[in-house]
Amino acid sequence: MNIVPEFDPLHFSEAALKMRSYRQQILASNLANVDTPGYKSRDIMFSQALREQVEGVAYSNALPLSATDGRHYRIGGGLPGAPALLYRMPMQPALDGNTADVETERVHFADNAVRTEAAMTLLNSVISSRKLALSGNNS
Amino acid sequence: MSLMRSFQVASTGLSSQSLRLNAIASNLANAEAVSGPDGQPYKPRHVVFRPAPIIGEVAAGVEVAAVVEDPRPGPLVYKPGHPSADANGYIRMPNVNPVEVMVDMISASRSYQMNVEMLNTSKQLMLKLLDLGRV
């Protein structure tokens, strides 16, 4: 009988936290650049990124486009091994080519911050239940 | 550490926006400066932002690429008694529109506030992270 679950909750929470803080970083960049001409708002597809992180398989980088010359286009734009960076569809692009919409970015930032806290709470409860199991007393 | 990068990004935003506020303050202060050291009316300055990539990270901060002077000439104002008036009694004023400058100032101050809030959020998450596992 397999006692250890397929996905270790500790491992899962860690991956979720990792991806949340990664996304926080990208959203912070978008917010810092709301006044930069020509800046294009970026984001990751969270569910896909988390699945890749948990399963340890990089689906989006499974067949990477090889760039052997400096002039070759690079698809995705993320770092190797990191989730692919996508461009956000602009709601109301500015005349200077900026697609970072303050409201949209703020909402995503706040949402991501709350979900990061949720991931931490989950991780905390996993840790405390393990501690309880280790100590053996239920006082 | 990704959350630390958020700090770095927010700090680049803060310094860029404060430079923008400095330029705006200079423009507003010199709205009536008809002759500078070179004898020409003051030319308003505008900052140009560009993304500042952080090495080895996807996140990009923001930096000031250049501070450009507005080349457009200001309005001619009839002030015959003024020491720098020409033969017809006109002086060339700086091209500073106080309304435009104030609007720019509000925009800059809101962007600054937003970066501060971003920093605060990241700080709270960071502190929560420090308490992780301490039940």
Side-chain angles (χ1 to χ4, degrees), chain B residues 33-128:
Chain B
V34 287
S35 64
D38 54 350
Q40 294 297 308
Y42 174 79
K43 287 191 175 63
R45 283 132 169 91
H46 300 290
V47 294
V48 181
F49 290 154
R50 73 159 171 233
I54 297 167
I55 305 297
E57 291 289 338
V58 284
V62 62
E63 66 184 2
V64 174
V67 180
V68 292
E69 284 190 348
D70 195 339
R72 290 177 300 168
L76 276 177
V77 176
Y78 184 61
K79 272 188 185 170
H82 200 279
S84 34
D86 62 6
N88 298 320
Y90 284 97
I91 51 169
R92 177 74 69 186
M93 298 297 286
N95 184 28
V96 177
N97 183 350
V99 178
E100 247 176 56
V101 177
M102 290 303 279
V103 169
D104 204 19
M105 189 192 78
I106 294 169
S107 164
S109 107
R110 288 282 178 265
S111 298
Y112 191 91
Q113 283 174 15
M114 199 174 65
N115 277 295
V116 171
E117 278 178 42
M118 200 159 80
L119 202 65
N120 269 334
T121 309
S122 299
K123 196 185 90 179
Q124 277 168 15
L125 290 178
M126 207 68 195
L127 287 174
K128 192 123 197 249

Side-chain angles (χ1 to χ4, degrees), chain A residues 92-112:
Chain A
Q92 31 186 356
L95 273 180
D96 61 5
N98 187 311
T99 63
D101 189 31
V102 186
E103 292 80 24
T104 316
E105 300 304 332
R106 274 302 294 270
V107 167
H108 280 115
F109 190 79
D111 174 79
N112 199 62

Side-chain angles (χ1 to χ4, degrees), chain A residues 43-64:
Chain A
D43 205 349
I44 55 169
M45 202 186 277
F46 188 81
S47 51
Q48 192 188 347
L50 182 59
R51 196 179 62 211
E52 288 174 9
Q53 189 70 30
V54 170
E55 296 180 355
V57 196
Y59 284 126
S60 55
N61 294 339
L63 268 178

